[in-house]
Amino acid sequence: MAGGGTKAVVAALLANTGIAITKFGAWALTGSASMLAESIHSVADAGNQALLLLGGKRAKREATELHQFGYGRERYVYSFIVAIVLFSVGGLFALYEGYHKVSHPEAITEWKWVPVAVLVVAIVLESLSFRTAIVETNKVRHGASWSNFIRNARSPELPVILLEDFAALTGLVLALAGVVLSLATGNGIYDGLGSMSIGALLVVVAIFLAIEMKSLLIGESATREASERITAAIEATTGVDRIIHLKTLHIGPEEVLVAVKIAVAETADAKVVADTINAVERAVREAEPTSVHIYVEPDIFVPGYEPEERPVAPDAPSH
């Protein structure tokens, strides 16, 4: 896992662990549905961050005979599990608890302002965690919009933390609104509605996250910028007449497989072809360091012949 992603995950883990403890305390004192929903949400978030750290650790294992390209995609697997946890433990539980409270509303009668104080403190702590994620993301998004960064990132940790922290902050505001309205009116139905709002938010975020992680699990190509750098490096290599076709695949967040068929001169002997292939590999690795595995196939290009696969730089992924 890249350093920025690890820092953001650890910051979120520490924040959510502390927030969960204080929320459970407030729920035990008041019986607030919004506080219970937020408590479970924070526990789910803390567990999710632990899963991301575990996935990052397991992804570093050496390649084996069975998994010859290594375990880089474990980070995608654990990120997909995060989406499942967020959907079930966070979203569905909050919806159920909110429905129960709306059906049988109970006003907050004891320790009335404890949940308000806890939620305000939680908003401050969650904002600090969100700020860390934003700072680390700004180091790598290179001017891309936030939506484009989340949709096109090949490393899952920062997009996951950004979405989780955004959902957490929004959920805290919803919980605060539900609790305040319940206290002001003496009607517990607002507390239940706050819980249901939190659940709906978490379900939407979890579904979006699952779609993104599914695409990465299936296998996405290198980004357009990386593909353009690879193409330019190959075409500039001495001995390469042209690219016949090029394919790339992320086998891990920081590992790209490059498979390319190049046209060489008809008169080239074996040594010239071998030297050209070696030069292509060096050029590609220099232009795009994430190109860990490179396979170059030499061929003779026949004018007028249209190969089945043509070199293209991929557009933004369609999930």
Side-chain angles (χ1 to χ4, degrees), residues 25-33 35 107-115:
W27 166 71
L29 292 172
T30 64
S32 166
M35 289 308 306
I108 300 173
T109 57
E110 298 180 352
W111 302 91
K112 291 184 177 183
W113 299 107
V114 168

Side-chain angles (χ1 to χ4, degrees), residues 5-24:
T6 302
K7 184 176 180 179
V9 172
V10 171
L13 174 60
L14 294 175
N16 281 306
T17 301
I19 291 170
I21 293 172
T22 57
K23 286 177 181 175
F24 270 118

Side-chain angles (χ1 to χ4, degrees), residues 87-105:
F87 180 85
S88 56
V89 178
L92 295 185
F93 179 85
L95 285 171
Y96 167 77
E97 183 64 20
Y99 172 76
H100 176 72
K101 285 292 185 180
V102 169
S103 302
H104 304 87

